[in-house]
């Protein structure tokens, strides 16, 4: 029950109905992250869109200025020069048919991001049903199907995150770790929010940003003012 007590203590520091300024909300988020590990701080944004309509999908990628604090394991599926480029760029695993077969036959998923070149997409398509549900399928929109392997690997390692509205019209995205402190988290928050606002679909009517909440892995949600 120790964790429950910590959570209750954290809740006492927050006024449930209050909307906080960004800096104050993130400072509280850091203060209420009481777990023994370095908790992830997440941003949750409720949008005024209907995700059932293709023209109201909101998704994109952005490189957070201070990264995510997570060590990302990058797999590159490529051949020849592009495979060499991936190795030089610092990809953790590089392969082609061998890797595809390993995923197919061994259910191997020891990586966080998969990047590939356009010429390999036919082959990668064979494992789309396996990678897709896990959110690991390379996609041109997220910059993971590209000829510029060096940039793709560097961006991911630097803290590139993908944001995507879910079925309930909410975007959930990490903006860093508790150890970053409120200032660095605020820089990441601003970068991500700017990207989400820019991605507003032309067909979205009414209020676009409905609710903003920040929370640590084990901590309570803190409402943020929509300025």
């Amino acid at each position: 029950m120790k964790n429950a007590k910590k959570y209750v203590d954290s809740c006492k520091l927050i006024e449930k109905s209050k909307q906080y300024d960004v800096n104050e909300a993130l400072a509280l988020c850091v203060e209420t992250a009481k777990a023994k590990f370095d908790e992830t701080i997440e941003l949750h944004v409720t949008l005024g869109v209907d995700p059932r309509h293709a023209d109201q999908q909101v998704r994109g990628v952005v490189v957070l200025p201070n990264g995510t604090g997570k060590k990302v394991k990058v797999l590159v599926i490529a051949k020849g020069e592009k495979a060499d480029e991936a190795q030089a760029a610092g990809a953790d695993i590089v392969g082609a048919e061998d890797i595809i077969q390993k995923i197919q036959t061994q259910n191997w998923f020891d990586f966080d991001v998969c990047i590939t070149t356009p010429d390999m997409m036919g082959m990668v398509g064979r494992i789309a049903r396996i990678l897709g549900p896990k959110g690991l399928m390379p996609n041109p929109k997220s910059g993971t199907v590209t000829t510029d392997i060096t940039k793709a690997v560097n961006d991911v390692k630097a803290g590139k995150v993908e944001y995507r509205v879910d079925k309930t019209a909410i975007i959930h995205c990490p903006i860093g770790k508790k150890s970053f402190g409120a200032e660095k988290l605020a820089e990441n928050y601003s970068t991500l929010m700017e990207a989400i606002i820019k991605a507003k679909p032309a067909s979205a009517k009414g209020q676009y940003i409905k609710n903003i909440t920040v929370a640590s892995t084990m901590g309570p949600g803190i409402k943020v003012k929509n300025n």
Side-chain angles (χ1 to χ4, degrees):
M1 294 299 289
K2 227 178 185 181
N3 283 346
K5 186 183 180 301
K6 282 180 181 176
Y7 183 83
V8 171
D9 288 346
S10 292
C11 287
K12 287 176 187 171
L13 298 168
I14 298 156
E15 288 179 53
K16 265 196 171 179
S17 58
K18 183 178 174 181
Q19 290 188 329
Y20 292 88
D21 284 326
V22 176
N23 293 328
E24 196 181 353
L26 289 168
L28 272 170
C29 216
V30 169
E31 194 181 341
T32 54
K34 295 181 182 291
K36 285 181 180 173
F37 62 93
D38 192 7
E39 292 184 52
T40 295
I41 308 298
E42 283 208 348
L43 172 65
H44 308 275
V45 187
T46 307
L47 299 177
V49 297
D50 186 345
R52 290 173 302 177
H53 298 296
D55 62 352
Q56 291 196 35
Q57 287 291 321
V58 179
R59 68 180 296 184
V61 291
V62 64
V63 178
L64 300 178
N66 300 301
T68 60
K70 184 187 174 190
K71 196 174 183 306
V72 184
K73 214 168 190 184
V74 179
L75 161 67
V76 175
I77 298 175
K79 283 182 171 179
E81 281 179 20
K82 290 297 170 186
D84 296 340
E85 187 184 329
Q87 295 275 14
D92 299 278
I93 310 132
V94 181
E97 290 95 342
D98 54 330
I99 292 291
I100 289 167
Q101 195 178 5
K102 193 174 181 181
I103 292 167
Q104 259 178 334
T105 58
Q106 296 176 32
N107 243 12
W108 175 80
F109 298 108
D110 191 17
F111 56 95
D112 303 301
V113 177
C114 178
I115 296 167
T116 190
T117 49
D119 62 305
M120 293 297 288
M121 273 304 282
M123 209 177 281
V124 176
R126 294 180 205 160
I127 51 171
R129 283 184 184 175
I130 305 169
L131 297 180
K134 293 183 178 290
L136 293 167
M137 185 64 189
N139 185 303
K141 284 183 182 172
S142 64
T144 47
V145 178
T146 177
T147 53
D148 194 345
I149 294 294
T150 302
K151 184 182 187 300
V153 172
N154 288 344
D155 281 354
V156 169
K157 294 280 187 183
K160 184 172 84 169
V161 292
E162 182 173 3
Y163 58 88
R164 187 177 191 172
V165 71
D166 67 11
K167 287 175 187 172
T168 59
I170 301 173
I171 286 174
H172 308 273
C173 203
I175 54 168
K177 297 281 187 182
K178 171 193 173 179
S179 58
F180 282 23
E183 199 176 315
K184 283 186 174 180
L185 288 168
E187 287 172 5
N188 282 357
Y189 171 98
S190 299
T191 300
L192 181 55
M193 279 305 298
E194 276 171 28
I196 292 169
I197 290 163
K198 272 186 189 169
K200 179 184 177 181
S203 57
K205 301 284 183 277
Q207 189 182 358
Y208 177 53
I209 307 284
K210 290 198 162 182
N211 291 301
I212 306 169
T213 305
V214 289
S216 62
T217 309
M218 307 292 284
I222 301 160
K223 290 175 184 172
V224 183
K225 279 181 192 168
N226 178 18
N227 296 327

